[in-house]
Amino acid sequence: MNAHPSEAITGAIKRATRILVLTHIHPDGDALGSQLGLGTILRGLDKEVFLYGEAAVSSLYEFLPGSQEISEGLPDLSAFDCAISLDCGDAYRLGRKMEELLTVKPFIVIDHHAGHQDFGDLRWVDPHRASSGELVYDLAVALGAEVSQAAAYCLYAAIVADTGSFKYSSTSADTFRVARELILKGVNPAEVAGKLFDNFSRARLRLFLRVLASLQLHADGRIALITAPNKLFGETGAAPEDTEGFINYPRALSCVQVAVFLKEAEAGIVSASMRSKGSDLNVAKVAMAFGGGGHRNAAGFKIGDTTIEKLSAELLPALQTLLV
Ligand code: 5GP
Ligand code: MN
């Protein structure tokens, strides 16, 4: 666990001329904010930067400066002399092009997931840090790089997104130190919070009402389950990525210790988002048992060829064992 990136990492970045910057599939605010922020920082160092994403950026994050520069097509990878993966805890979450992407050398991995599975050539993984945005800021400092207002905006959004507005247990003095530096660079916290949280379309609100109405409480109210079957998206006109943040509402019930959201974004494929409270309830362990991963208090996985009913029948008992 290093508080700073190694000289091997900063040296490799300084020597590189064409850098591929990546993050995980279905990127959240931390993933995209970190990717876009680092892209801008590296361009400020006169690097040629290519931002790759397997799918189009969710409309929820289009407000991030530079979001339209993330490209879904892969260029000739032999032209790169460095790749940097951000916020990705497991190589398979690089997506369908994982094997090709990993051919870029050196492949640098910067991440903060507790259950991080090593991949790549040079790694800076610190699970004590609340967001990858925080790490990218400290990388910029170690590189002696300028952090422009646009980059600061992306990194600040990354931090707010991954700490639930500085609420989660991962929030530390380092989080506030970096947030302060970013605000001093011109970020307006109220504006970022508005873009991240006061951003519902009418379709998204329709979906939200239906998903909340699915609430079930188990284990004397200690486990909350909400669900979004595939047909709900057609019925409400909302997109699967519009469910971002819904899990926080069952989690907000005072009696709830573990909240689960099962979403069928594509027919027969169900993803699970889990949240827990406190240091004794490790949902990452359960996620890993189902082939996923994440952090102690926020983890997930995805399973094909199943239904919400089938998966909840397997998952609820596994979560109950955490409570005893
Ligand atoms: P969310 O519930 O917001 O989708 O994800 C919560 C945390 O779990 C995130 O840190 C994310 O990286 C991790 N996570 C979610 N889904 C998966 C998955 O399918 N595999 C792995 N390894 N981690 C996941
Ligand atoms: Mn993150």
Side-chain angles (χ1 to χ4, degrees), residues 156-195:
Y156 184 84
I159 293 169
V160 173
D162 244 25
T163 58
S165 303
F166 306 100
K167 271 193 329 205
Y168 300 152
S169 57
S170 54
T171 305
S172 71
D174 275 326
T175 316
F176 283 103
R177 169 181 59 83
V178 174
R180 175 180 189 275
E181 293 297 325
L182 297 171
I183 290 168
L184 289 173
K185 293 187 187 303
V187 177
N188 177 342
E191 196 207 318
V192 176
K195 290 281 195 335

Side-chain angles (χ1 to χ4, degrees), residues 24 90 92-93 113 273-275 291-295 298-302:
H24 60 79
D90 197 319
Y92 85 86
R93 298 202 85 215
H113 285 88
S273 277
M274 298 181 286
R275 299 291 184 270
H295 313 276
F301 62 88
K302 195 165 162 177

